[in-house]
Amino acid sequence: MTTFLAAGIWMTYRGIRYYEDNVLRGIVLIALGLFDFIGQWFPFESGIFLYGVLVIMAILIEAYYYFLRLVNMIRSAGINSIVDPVTKLYNKSFLLKKTENLLSKREIDILYIDVDNMKQLYDAQDPDSRDQLLYKIGLIFKEEVGENGFACRYEGANMVGIMIGDNTEQIAENFLKRVHVEANAAISYGIASSIEVSDTGEVVTSLIKIANERMCIFKKDKESNVIG
C-alpha cells in the first residue's frame, strides 16, 4: 500500500512539474494504494472488483508505455542508420540511395562541398573541437539547403547537397559566406546537374565526380587569386 501511494505521488508530481507522461500512471497507483488501505480496514465485496479493475488498468498502461518506448527505440535506430553521428547530416549511404531514387523521377543538382585547409584546422584543434567545427559547418549547410534538397556528409570534410530546386548556385554562395563569418572557415564547392549525365552507367557516381572536379577547379582558382 505504502509503495503504491509513494510511487503514485512521485509520478504524479513529476508529470505535473516536468510535463512528463506519468500523471495517469501516478493516479492509478495512488488509487491502488488507497483501495488497498481502505480494504484493510473496511473490507467490502465491490472494493475487490474495483481493485481488480485498477490492477488491470495499471498493467494496460504499463504495456502501452512499454510499446511507446519500443516504437521510439525502433524509430531512433532507423534515424541513426541514415544520419552521420558527428555532423547530424544524412550519411553517405542515404546520399547514394536517395540520389538514385530521385534521378528516376526528376532532374537534380549535386552540390559538392569541401572545407578548405581542414588538415591544418584539425592539427590546430583537439578532437572535440574538430567535431564541433564540423557539426557547426554541417548545421549551416543544413539550414542553407533547407527544403531545397538534402544535406549529407560524404566523407571526411566533404559534404554533398542533393538539390531539387533551381537556386543551387545561390545556396552555395550563401553557405560560403556564412561559414566564413560564423565558423571562421572557408569552403570550396562544385555543382553538377543530372542533365549533363547520360542515362547509362553509374549516374550517381558520375554526378558526384563531376561536382568534385569542379570543386577542385574552384579551389585552385581561389588559391591562384590569393597568390596573384
Side-chain angles (χ1 to χ4, degrees):
M1 179 267 292
T2 305
T3 303
F4 283 147
L5 276 176
I9 292 171
W10 175 245
M11 283 187 176
T12 304
Y13 166 75
R14 285 189 61 86
I16 296 173
R17 177 68 177 80
Y18 300 106
Y19 303 99
E20 296 179 350
D21 297 327
N22 284 327
V23 176
L24 182 60
R25 301 161 82 183
I27 292 173
V28 171
L29 288 178
I30 290 173
L32 279 172
L34 290 175
F35 265 94
D36 193 19
F37 173 76
I38 295 171
Q40 289 181 14
W41 296 95
F42 307 101
F44 54 100
E45 293 184 1
S46 59
I48 298 175
F49 172 76
L50 292 174
Y51 187 82
V53 171
L54 287 172
V55 169
I56 293 173
M57 284 181 60
I59 293 172
L60 290 175
I61 290 171
E62 288 303 317
Y64 170 71
Y65 280 107
Y66 178 80
F67 173 74
L68 286 183
R69 286 196 297 269
L70 185 62
V71 169
N72 288 333
M73 287 173 59
I74 294 173
R75 185 178 298 168
S76 177
I79 292 174
N80 290 337
S81 67
I82 61 172
V83 172
D84 175 69
V86 175
T87 62
K88 306 304 178 186
L89 302 177
Y90 291 115
N91 60 23
K92 185 177 180 179
S93 176
F94 174 88
L95 163 67
L96 298 177
K97 291 177 182 177
K98 190 66 177 179
T99 303
E100 184 176 0
N101 178 262
L102 287 172
L103 282 169
S104 66
K105 303 174 183 178
R106 58 180 299 161
E107 296 176 356
I108 64 169
D109 290 340
I110 289 294
L111 171 59
Y112 194 100
I113 301 292
D114 181 64
V115 181
D116 296 343
N117 304 314
M118 198 63 192
K119 186 179 183 305
Q120 288 86 335
L121 292 172
Y122 264 33
D123 292 341
Q125 300 181 33
D126 60 82
D128 289 339
S129 297
R130 299 169 192 169
D131 288 349
Q132 289 173 8
L133 176 62
L134 274 179
Y135 171 75
K136 189 169 188 177
I137 294 174
L139 181 62
I140 299 171
F141 188 41
K142 185 176 181 180
E143 290 174 353
E144 285 301 322
V145 171
E147 297 181 356
N148 296 287
F150 304 88
C152 312
R153 184 183 185 186
Y154 187 55
E155 53 190 20
N158 301 130
M159 301 175 190
V160 170
I162 311 171
M163 311 303 295
I164 57 177
D166 56 359
N167 56 343
T168 304
E169 186 79 39
Q170 184 60 53
I171 289 173
E173 284 296 319
N174 292 342
F175 176 55
L176 184 151
K177 294 173 184 175
R178 285 190 61 188
V179 168
H180 176 70
V181 174
E182 299 175 31
N184 194 28
I187 63 108
S188 298
Y189 69 86
I191 300 171
S193 175
S194 58
I195 61 175
E196 303 177 77
V197 182
S198 64
D199 295 332
T200 59
E202 295 291 332
V203 180
V204 177
T205 305
S206 298
L207 266 177
I208 295 174
K209 182 180 179 182
I210 293 171
N212 180 24
E213 290 171 349
R214 289 173 179 168
M215 180 277 297
C216 292
I217 294 171
F218 183 95
K219 189 186 294 284
K220 288 179 181 178
D221 287 344
K222 284 201 304 181
E223 292 172 352
S224 298
N225 289 334
V226 170
I227 294 173

